[in-house]
Amino acid sequence: MDFKDYAAQEKNRLIAERDVIERKLQALDNAIRAYEDSVGTAPAAPRSAPAKKQRRRRRSSRRAEIVKVIGASGSDGIGRAGVILALNVKGNKSAEQSVSNTLSALKKAGEVRHEDGKYFAS
């Protein structure tokens, strides 16, 4: 048996399986309708479970921006407030927190160093 024959046979098998499932589905739909008719009203649909939260991917662009700002500060270094001002996120609490978290992550990863309240490129 060559591949074309196998593929045709498999396709026919899947079509037949789908037909069986469709007949079962139709029978279930008929049973539900009969139940609803006997009760008089359709029962409320069950509430679906809340969707799972997906993990967010790391935003490397924020990291790159911060490393660029720190690198541009040269040997003088730059403080957290300076980074926030340079990125123009002053007053946006979530963005400021994001900067702080990113600075901590960069420090932990060894991509920047922190001395006397200022960040320097490593």
Side-chain angles (χ1 to χ4, degrees):
M1 171 185 293
D2 66 348
F3 182 74
K4 284 184 179 182
D5 292 338
Y6 172 76
Q9 184 180 15
E10 183 66 10
K11 180 180 177 182
N12 290 334
R13 185 190 68 78
L14 291 171
I15 289 171
E17 187 176 334
R18 182 183 63 197
D19 291 342
V20 168
I21 292 171
E22 285 176 347
R23 282 193 298 274
K24 287 180 182 178
L25 182 60
Q26 185 63 42
L28 288 171
D29 285 341
N30 291 339
I32 290 172
R33 270 192 229 98
Y35 171 77
E36 288 173 351
D37 290 343
S38 69
V39 172
T41 60
R47 295 179 67 187
S48 62
K52 289 185 178 180
K53 290 185 179 181
Q54 292 182 351
R55 281 185 90 165
R56 286 179 44 163
R57 290 181 38 214
R58 179 183 294 168
R59 291 185 178 174
S60 59
S61 60
R62 173 73 76 192
R63 290 173 74 110
E65 286 177 314
I66 292 174
V67 169
K68 185 177 176 183
V69 167
I70 293 171
S73 69
S75 61
D76 294 335
I78 188 169
R80 174 187 170 275
V83 174
I84 289 171
L85 287 173
L87 295 176
N88 197 27
V89 295
K90 179 93 172 134
N92 182 340
K93 294 290 185 186
S94 64
E96 289 181 17
Q97 185 63 52
S98 174
V99 168
S100 295
N101 293 342
T102 304
L103 285 169
S104 295
L106 289 169
K107 184 175 130 183
K108 186 175 179 180
E111 295 181 45
V112 298
R113 59 185 165 75
H114 186 240
E115 295 174 11
D116 298 324
K118 293 191 177 189
Y119 292 90
F120 301 88
S122 292

